[in-house]
């Protein structure tokens, strides 16, 4: 290994020298070419003064490249996103910080951060001079109309000499990720399944705070009300037993997103699929804010936050984490290769699902029948059916006959079914479904409706 050390260093020096020469700018290459030409002319014409000028022009960029390559700046770079998760169409600010950790001041530095093209142009900054132990902070803004996860970095530092003859690029190894989530609309509060809030004693509820000791009558404790004595259990166990207290209970809601590629046409931020994703995000956030235990379900049968005790988001402390997990999932969700919704039905038929909110694409007779059967596994159900063919034509066209037929089939099965024409906000359709629940017939709005909330 000792014998190979000098040879390896010599090879690195040659490679570094080639890198330095490759970093010559247009000015540096022009000076070098002019110097060579002047030297050749001086040799041919026998002009010694011209030869000295030519050598000076040719050597100057080479000296600059060698000095720049031997320069060893010790700088540290960091990046901070504010915030790290933004809705589509909103701006995030990226803060860059450069620290000079050496004892010598730096020369001219050019700072450049690598960003995907959908976030905007690549930001570049010029730092004139950073004193020993000093720091510089700069920032720039990024924005995307397309949801997704976008890497930022690595940060690149371009070194240049005072004459502008040579430029060398050094890259840091770390990068950060900006998550662009779907846009969320603030939905108006409506009465769902006859309850005003997410807590109570409705039909489809799960205990939110009930413990193992409260499932059956428990033993008498000092201070218990004697009116709660459970005499049958007292006779059975031979000791005084009392009925458990009424526990606060949490409503449950499943939000179903149809991601089948065959159910949507078009692409881009104004497509039907993007509207369905944004509507799903809005419904999830709205239900969590109202105190519901929420689960995100897709046509593939995948469920979030997971298949724990009941597959729903748990206590309020976990709701923020569950909401973040579901929003991160919606940020990168894409079309599935499946053609049916049977996998989602298999997940739903495991028990009472409480409220079911579905965002659906184009439905044929078979898939409409599968969706209709899901109504039997929920306390109440509302569906937003998109006509993707109408969405490709832009705002204006009414839902097609096929979409209206699907809405009619779901309404007959007990769904609150709303056809979604292009250009209509989810807030209006949400209110429309609420009016439909409280009235005998559909409200006069842009979409076609059928059925009821409960």
């Amino acid at each position: 290994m000792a014998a190979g050390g000098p040879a390896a260093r010599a090879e690195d020096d040659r490679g570094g020298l080639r890198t330095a020469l490759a970093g010559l700018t247009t000015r540096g290459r022009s000076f070098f070419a002019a110097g060579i030409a002047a030297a050749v002319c001086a040799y041919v014409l026998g002009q010694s003064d011209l030869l000295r000028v030519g050598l000076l022009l040719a050597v100057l960029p080479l000296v600059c490249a060698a000095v720049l390559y031997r320069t060893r700046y010790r700088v540290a770079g960091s990046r901070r996103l504010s915030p790290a998760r933004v809705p589509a169409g909103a701006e995030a600010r990226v803060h860059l910080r450069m620290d000079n950790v050496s004892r010598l001041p730096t020369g001219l530095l050019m700072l450049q951060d690598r960003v995907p093209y959908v976030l905007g142009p690549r930001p570049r900054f010029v730092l004139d001079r950073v004193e020993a132990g000093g720091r510089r902070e700069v920032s720039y803004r990024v924005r995307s109309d397309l949801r997704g996860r976008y890497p930022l970095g690595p940060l690149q530092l371009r070194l240049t000499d005072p004459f502008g003859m040579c430029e060398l690029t050094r890259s840091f190894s770390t990068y950060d990720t900006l998550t662009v989530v779907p846009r969320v609309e603030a939905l108006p509060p409506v009465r769902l399944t006859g309850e005003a809030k997410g807590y109570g004693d409705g039909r489809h509820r799960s205990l939110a705070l009930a413990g193992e000791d409260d499932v059956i009558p428990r033993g008498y404790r000092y201070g218990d009300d004697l009116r709660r004595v459970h005499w049958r259990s007292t006779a059975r166990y031979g000791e005084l037993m009392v009925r458990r207290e009424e526990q606060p209970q949490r409503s449950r809601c499943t939000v179903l997103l149809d991601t089948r590629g065959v159910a949507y046409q078009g692409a881009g931020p104004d497509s039907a699929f993007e509207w369905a994703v944004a509507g799903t995000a809005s419904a999830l956030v709205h239900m969590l804010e109202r105190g519901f235990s929420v689960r995100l379900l897709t046509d593939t049968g995948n469920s979030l936050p997971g298949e724990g005790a009941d597959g729903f988001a748990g206590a309020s402390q976990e709701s923020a984490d569950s909401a973040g997990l579901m929003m991160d999932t919606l940020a990168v969700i894409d079309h599935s290769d499946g053609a049916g919704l049977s996998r989602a039905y298999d997940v739903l038929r495991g028990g009472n699902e409480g409220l079911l909110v579905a965002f659906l694409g184009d439905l044929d007779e078979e898939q409409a029948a599968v969706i209709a059967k899901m109504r039997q596994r929920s306390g109440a159900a509302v569906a937003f059916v998109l006509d993707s063919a109408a969405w490709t034509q832009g705002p204006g066209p009414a839902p097609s006959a096929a979409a209206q037929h699907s809405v009619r089939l779901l309404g007959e099965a007990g769904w609150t079914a709303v056809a979604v024409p292009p250009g209509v906000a989810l807030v209006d359709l949400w209110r429309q479904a609420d009016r439909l629940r409280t009235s005998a017939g559909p409200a006069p709005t842009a979409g076609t409706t059928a059925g009821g909330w409960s």
Side-chain angles (χ1 to χ4, degrees):
M1 179 172 296
R9 286 195 295 270
E11 184 177 352
D12 292 341
D13 291 340
R14 290 194 297 269
L17 184 58
R18 287 195 296 267
T19 302
L21 293 177
L24 289 175
T25 62
T26 303
R27 180 185 300 178
R29 290 189 175 94
S30 300
F31 268 67
F32 183 75
I36 295 298
V40 172
C41 293
Y43 177 77
V44 173
L45 301 176
Q47 297 290 331
S48 58
D49 293 337
L50 181 59
L51 178 60
R52 286 191 291 268
V53 173
L55 292 178
L56 176 62
L57 294 177
V59 170
L60 180 60
L62 299 180
V63 172
C64 291
V67 171
L68 190 62
Y69 172 71
R70 291 296 180 181
T71 301
R72 292 294 184 265
Y73 294 135
R74 296 179 58 194
V75 294
S78 61
R79 182 189 300 101
R80 178 172 57 88
L81 303 181
S82 177
R85 182 191 292 123
V86 295
E91 290 185 345
R93 184 168 289 275
V94 184
H95 301 269
L96 303 178
R97 173 177 166 178
M98 296 296 301
D99 294 275
N100 183 11
V101 297
S102 66
R103 298 180 179 179
L104 298 176
T106 67
L108 185 65
L109 302 178
M110 297 183 64
L111 197 62
Q112 177 177 275
D113 206 9
R114 299 184 62 182
V115 299
Y117 72 95
V118 296
L119 297 182
R122 181 170 297 183
R124 294 180 175 90
F125 305 93
V126 177
L127 306 181
D128 187 14
R129 182 179 180 273
V130 183
E131 64 278 4
R135 70 179 58 169
R136 295 291 186 272
E137 293 185 2
V138 294
S139 65
Y140 64 94
R141 294 176 296 180
V142 292
R143 178 182 179 273
S144 174
D145 292 328
L146 299 175
R147 55 186 176 81
R149 292 173 62 87
Y150 301 102
L152 299 179
L155 192 63
Q156 292 181 336
L157 196 63
R158 300 178 63 186
L159 311 177
T160 182
D161 63 281
F163 300 101
M165 299 290 180
C166 183
E167 289 182 354
L168 295 182
T169 301
R170 297 289 184 265
S171 297
F172 294 87
S173 58
T174 59
Y175 66 93
D176 295 278
T177 301
L178 175 68
T179 303
V180 181
V181 299
R183 285 186 291 264
V184 175
E185 296 185 49
L187 301 180
V190 298
R191 290 181 58 87
L192 308 176
T193 66
E195 298 294 338
K197 295 183 178 180
Y199 295 90
D201 54 355
R203 290 182 298 167
H204 300 283
R205 308 279 173 174
S206 60
L207 292 179
L209 300 175
E212 185 68 23
D213 295 336
D214 295 321
V215 176
I216 60 176
R218 58 173 176 82
Y220 176 83
R221 299 170 186 170
Y222 179 77
D224 285 338
D225 190 350
L226 293 179
R227 289 176 297 180
R228 293 196 297 110
V229 173
H230 193 270
W231 298 109
R232 181 178 301 176
S233 298
T234 299
R236 178 179 179 182
Y237 291 102
E239 60 177 315
L240 200 59
M241 306 291 291
V242 297
R243 295 186 298 272
R244 66 181 177 90
E245 298 178 352
E246 183 180 359
Q247 299 292 330
Q249 297 178 340
R250 183 182 295 270
S251 300
R252 299 194 298 184
C253 174
T254 297
V255 181
L256 172 63
L257 174 61
D258 181 10
T259 64
R260 297 172 299 137
V262 298
Y264 299 94
Q265 301 179 23
D270 296 328
S271 64
F273 181 69
E274 293 300 324
W275 190 97
V277 174
T280 300
S282 302
L284 288 171
V285 172
H286 177 72
M287 292 301 175
L288 284 172
E289 290 176 348
R290 295 197 59 191
F292 279 70
S293 292
V294 183
R295 176 175 62 178
L296 169 64
L297 182 65
T298 66
D299 58 287
T300 61
N302 296 327
S303 166
L304 286 175
E307 297 294 346
D310 56 5
F312 290 80
S316 58
Q317 182 64 26
E318 302 173 355
S319 296
D321 296 336
S322 300
L325 179 60
M326 288 185 284
M327 295 300 288
D328 289 345
T329 301
L330 291 176
V332 297
I333 200 167
D334 202 354
H335 293 295
S336 67
D337 297 330
L341 296 159
S342 57
R343 291 184 180 179
Y345 174 73
D346 293 338
V347 175
L348 289 174
R349 68 182 183 182
N352 291 329
E353 300 298 328
L355 175 64
L356 175 60
V357 180
F359 293 86
L360 308 170
D362 296 332
L363 299 175
D364 55 20
E365 292 287 343
E366 180 181 357
Q367 301 310 316
V370 174
I371 293 294
K373 290 190 297 182
M374 293 182 183
R375 177 63 181 88
Q376 304 172 3
R377 302 294 175 177
S378 62
V382 57
F384 299 95
V385 184
L386 289 94
D387 183 10
S388 61
W391 276 78
T392 59
Q393 304 175 19
S400 64
Q404 295 180 10
H405 179 66
S406 299
V407 168
R408 195 157 43 247
L409 290 179
L410 297 183
E412 293 172 356
W415 284 77
T416 297
V418 180
V420 182
V424 178
L426 177 61
V427 175
D428 299 332
L429 299 177
W430 193 262
R431 290 195 181 98
Q432 178 181 347
D434 180 50
R435 289 195 297 268
L436 179 64
R437 179 188 63 84
T438 57
S439 61
T445 57
T448 303
T449 58
W453 285 88
S454 58

